[in-house]
Each structure stands twice: as structure tokens, then as C-alpha cells.
Amino acid sequence: MRKTIIAPSVLSANLSCLLEDSRNVIDQGADWIHLDVMDGHFVPNLSFGPPVIKSLRDGISDVFFDCHMMVSHPWNWVEAVKKAGGSGYTFHIETTPEESQFFGLLNDIRAKGMKTGIALKPGTQLSEMLYDGIRRGLIDMVLIMTVEPGFSGQKFMADMMEKVRSLRRDFPELNVEVDGGVKVENIDIVADAGANVIVSATGVFEHPNPREAIRVMRESIDS
Ligand code: DX5
Ligand code: ZN
């Protein structure tokens, strides 16, 4: 049975007390911490990289760090993210158009002991290469972006649920993650489409009661 996973993105946390905010959100019921790494090239924003992940790992030993790599050269950071304490490494399919590069990177991530994830921007469709990777058992999770990657606090794109629905129909046990604009107000749409891994930044950190936001999200996905 696939599990419901709530993975708050700390991009909306107070970055000056990232460790404390991350611990709090775990105490409030979150399963994973979603870490948005941005290079100012693949997306028009900069966030943080392996040194910050390492500092966080030094303070939190046993939680899954879901690293969302919004970078143009994801093959350059596998080793550093693993060493820093990353648990899952999700790269964008747009960065590896060649099959050899795509499968090579998946194998490298696995060889280094992390879970593999593939992210799709809103304008990117499900493809034969992606399906091939899933069927071959090389992909642990597919991340469907529901905003253009780069910033927290954007509006949820409900039309992305088509992709979530297709993946869920074709792969009942696959981890399907949604990221961007997900909140208590639209969680039922995400649940209905079949996503089971929920990323939310502002929807958790700016909710007056984050514990309650996480509870409502989990209940919706579970039911
Ligand atoms: C956007 C990031 C998201 C972001 C989500 O590029 O990948 O993880 O932090 O923020 P919200 O939930 O506020 O849209
Ligand atoms: Zn993200």
C-alpha cells in the first residue's frame, strides 16, 4: 500500500532559524522535509545548496530529506547532496533530454544510496522515456509541478491533475508528488487525482495552525 506523505517545503520557513522551524514542522506531524535547491539558472531564483542541507542534517538525524534539484546540471550535485545528508534526489527531466544521460543519472543516484525522483515543469508532458524509467524500476517518485518552479506562494494549477491522474492509473503504487500552491483549500482536488506525496510551503508555514493544516491534508489524502 502506498503511504501518504506530507513534505513541507522549508522555502517558506524563517531561514534564519531553519533548524528550529524544520523540527517544529516534524513535531507538528510532517513526514519529510522538502528542500528546494535552486541555481539561478534553471529557475530565476537562488536558494541554498549542500552546506545548508548538511547543517540541517547535523541537527535532524532521522528524517527523510526530499531534495528537489531545480538546477541545470543535476549530475554535478549528486555526490555533494548525498554527503550533506540528502535522502531523495529529484531532478528535472527537462535537464536530461538524452536517454543515456537520464538513465545514467538515475543509476548514479541509486548507486550513491538515495531515492530517485523525476520532476516535470507545468509545460512538460509525460513521456515514453519517463514511463520506461518507471517500468524498469529506476524511479521511486514522480513530482508534478503545479506552479512554474522558482518561488513559493504562487497559484495552484489545477489542470496539472491530468498528469497525476494518468500516472496513478498506470502505476497504482508509484509515489506521485505535487508541488506548488497546495493548501488546505485545494487538497481535495489533489487527493481526488491520486497524489500521495504532498509538498506545501506557504500552505503550512503561513497557516495560522500548521499542525491542523498537516492533519487536514493527511486526512484528505487518506480518505
Ligand atoms: C517552487 C518550489 C516549491 C515551493 C512551494 O519552485 O519547488 O517547493 O516552495 O511553495 P508553495 O507551497 O508556497 O507554492
Ligand atoms: Zn519543490
Side-chain angles (χ1 to χ4, degrees), residues 74-75 78 89 91 96 100-109:
W75 47 89
V78 181
Y89 193 97
F91 66 95
T96 56
S100 56
Q101 205 176 23
F102 178 73
F103 289 111
L105 184 49
L106 286 170
N107 284 324
D108 189 33
I109 296 165

Side-chain angles (χ1 to χ4, degrees), residues 14 37 47 49 85 95 107 122 132 136 162 171 193 202 222:
N14 179 346
V37 176
S47 58
T95 62
N107 284 324
D132 196 21
R136 285 160 64 176
E162 193 75 23
F171 304 104
T202 48
D222 276 348

Side-chain angles (χ1 to χ4, degrees), residues 120-122 124 126 144 160-167:
L120 278 69
K121 283 179 165 186
T124 304
L126 302 175
I144 300 299
M160 293 300 121
M161 293 306 101
E162 193 75 23
K163 289 188 250 183
V164 173
R165 239 179 226 107
S166 300
L167 283 170

